[in-house]
Amino acid sequence: MPLMPSWIEAANAPDCPFPLNNLPCGVFSVAGGPRHCGVAIGDRILDVTAMEKAELISLADRPVLDKPEWNAVMALGPAAWERLRHLLIGFLRAKSDLQTTIEPYLHPLASAEMYMPFSVAEYTDFYASKQHATNVGTMFRGKDNALPPNWLHIPIGYNGRASSVVVSGTDVFRPWGQLKGPQDDAPRFAPCERFDFELEMGAVVGTPSRYGRPVTLAEADAMIFGYVLLNDWSARDIQAWEYQPLGPFQSKATATTISPWIVTRAALEPFRVDAPEREVPLLPYLQDSGPMHYNIELEVELTPQGGAPKVISRTNFRELYYSAAQQLAHHTSAGGPMRAGDLLGSGTVSGDTRESRGSLLELSWGGKEPLDLGSGVSRSFLQDNDRVTLRGLARGDGYTIGFGDCSGTLRPAIAPPWPAA
Ligand code: MN
């Protein structure tokens, strides 16, 4: 698909992340004003909350853009999403005769404050990169038991915390927790010493599913409203001690950072690609019925305090073994319902090469091979005041789809409210 030209000139530049083809959904405010739902276009934000109030947009028999979150729109389902996209393209396409009507609803992107684009109903994190699972398994359990026996059959996941999902730009505080090294007799309670990022994408569920009713893979795909970049911050030392037998708990509870923009499934349609070859046949309810992965280039940038930013990993969303649709179909397989605003982390996206590993744990091989950042600076794990920025882009025919930066700075641990031991 070629670039769809817009009367907003900045949207037509081949490297602009927000062309008319994209139209991602966010929540913003300008000049201390109220939070509204907005759609990015070029170097502006279109205030769709104000447009609904002015009856330029109508998606249901009641307002659905009146709250500063996209959940009500998401719950309407794919026909309403398509209608909104069609309306917006009509307003913003080149030579639209509605330009003077629409102009008052545009704000400069640069002056906007961004907030969580939706209210996270529940957050689940998966483990869908074979390379990541193999790398982590090798470090935690040894080479012979690296990939768990279930991994090629089941999209492994755990139920995470929705309450600590935060938008890009929110500080993250180094957590305290129980630490116990292999040589220690007993655990101690101390600030995490092996704090890490995980490069992931998040799938945002729009259409709810019913209690007691699993969904098919095709239904699951159609339920997904869009995708965000996602950093699943991880405390590796807390994780290593706590994770058996029920999986991560406090090691993943501190924070999960997402990009400010949800890129809709419709915008990503041209970037669908086939799944990798299956090493063993999947059970029928997980069998691929078409291309459900996406070609989205991903990178991680690390900026030490006062230092220069450095890109430390480059990989692609298509590296994953399981698609978000497969994860979602599996998620409903035991009958638990999904809600509008359920967030599914893809799992760390790691490729085959060292440069394409999606976490510091893998990049520094558990701290044994510190990563050189130049100027005499190296990292095994994150240090206080390091900033981690994830970026993602899909390259179309003369245009680029972006998500906005997914960025967070690690701040020093806050002392717990009890006396030191
Ligand atoms: Mn993760």
Side-chain angles (χ1 to χ4, degrees):
M1 165 171 293
L3 169 80
M4 291 192 274
S6 169
W7 52 264
I8 296 170
E9 270 308 315
N12 302 327
D15 58 348
C16 173
F18 307 124
L20 187 55
N21 304 58
N22 192 349
L23 301 175
C25 305
V27 169
F28 76 103
S29 71
V30 280
R35 299 179 187 198
H36 281 182
C37 293
V39 169
I41 175 76
D43 54 358
R44 324 270 192 97
I45 295 181
L46 185 64
D47 184 343
V48 291
T49 295
M51 289 178 70
E52 185 187 56
K53 205 167 173 206
E55 298 181 352
L56 287 163
I57 293 174
S58 173
L59 299 176
D61 54 7
R62 61 190 185 283
V64 287
L65 289 160
D66 56 334
K67 284 202 201 122
E69 57 177 47
W70 281 83
N71 297 58
V73 174
M74 284 156 45
L76 293 176
W81 310 339
E82 187 51 45
R83 180 172 156 69
L84 175 61
R85 186 171 172 84
H86 183 79
L87 279 172
L88 294 174
I89 289 172
F91 294 146
L92 297 167
R93 68 179 166 77
K95 303 196 179 89
S96 167
D97 48 17
L98 293 165
Q99 181 170 344
T100 49
T101 311
I102 301 307
E103 263 169 349
Y105 298 97
L106 288 165
H107 300 278
L109 196 53
S111 65
E113 182 101 13
M114 300 303 299
Y115 306 92
M116 277 292 292
F118 65 107
S119 170
V120 181
E122 296 192 50
Y123 166 49
T124 310
D125 193 39
F126 286 89
Y127 195 49
S129 152
K130 188 179 170 208
Q131 207 51 57
H132 172 72
T134 304
N135 288 341
V136 173
T138 303
M139 280 181 266
F140 276 42
R141 286 180 299 275
K143 214 167 78 179
D144 296 338
N145 300 306
L147 205 59
N150 53 4
W151 199 91
L152 291 171
H153 300 275
I154 199 170
I156 298 177
Y158 63 92
N159 288 306
R161 280 218 71 72
S163 63
S164 57
V165 179
V166 296
V167 74
S168 176
T170 308
D171 282 344
V172 173
F173 294 89
R174 181 182 296 277
W176 289 67
Q178 285 205 18
L179 313 183
K180 182 187 171 302
Q183 320 305 334
D184 299 341
D185 293 333
R188 62 205 160 88
F189 190 74
C192 168
E193 292 165 2
R194 291 158 74 93
F195 201 65
D196 200 355
F197 63 83
E198 287 189 340
L199 168 61
E200 303 194 17
M201 297 285 298
V204 183
V205 175
T207 330
S209 69
R210 280 158 51 197
Y211 174 73
R213 190 187 167 288
V215 304
T216 66
L217 194 55
E219 288 170 329
D221 189 55
M223 284 165 63
I224 296 170
F225 177 70
Y227 290 84
V228 291
L229 296 169
L230 186 148
N231 181 349
D232 179 34
W233 302 94
S234 298
R236 302 300 181 190
D237 39 7
I238 297 173
Q239 185 178 358
W241 167 235
E242 75 173 0
Y243 88 108
Q244 300 200 67
L246 290 187
F249 184 46
Q250 292 309 292
S251 54
K252 306 276 191 169
T254 300
T256 304
T257 303
I258 63 169
S259 57
W261 298 104
I262 309 171
V263 173
T264 63
R265 186 163 49 80
L268 293 174
E269 281 303 309
F271 306 99
R272 280 183 185 262
V273 288
D274 284 319
E277 201 162 319
R278 301 304 176 187
E279 297 178 32
V280 296
L282 293 168
L283 288 168
Y285 79 102
L286 290 173
Q287 270 168 19
D288 305 281
S289 52
M292 292 203 187
H293 286 61
Y294 294 95
N295 181 1
I296 299 173
E297 295 170 32
L298 301 171
E299 69 174 34
V300 183
E301 181 183 88
L302 179 56
T303 313
Q305 186 173 30
K310 183 170 166 93
V311 173
I312 57 170
S313 178
R314 284 198 175 90
T315 184
N316 194 299
F317 190 35
R318 69 186 298 172
E319 294 283 348
L320 293 185
Y321 194 79
Y322 295 105
S323 64
Q326 283 170 321
Q327 294 172 333
L328 181 53
H330 180 65
H331 209 317
T332 65
S333 61
M338 305 301 294
R339 290 185 283 172
D342 260 279
L343 175 64
L344 274 54
S346 63
T348 306
V349 187
S350 291
D352 287 328
T353 61
R354 182 178 174 183
E355 296 70 35
S356 61
R357 295 173 185 166
S359 67
L360 271 178
L361 177 72
E362 296 165 89
L363 286 161
S364 74
W365 205 253
K368 292 197 182 84
E369 303 165 15
L371 189 68
D372 182 14
L373 299 181
S375 313
V377 179
S378 69
R379 287 288 182 276
S380 290
F381 293 95
L382 295 172
Q383 293 193 5
D384 288 347
N385 303 308
D386 281 353
R387 186 171 74 237
V388 177
T389 301
L390 313 184
R391 298 197 181 89
L393 60 88
R395 292 179 203 273
D397 177 9
Y399 69 96
T400 305
I401 298 285
F403 295 78
D405 284 1
C406 175
S407 191
T409 303
L410 176 64
R411 299 303 181 190
I414 300 169
W418 54 76

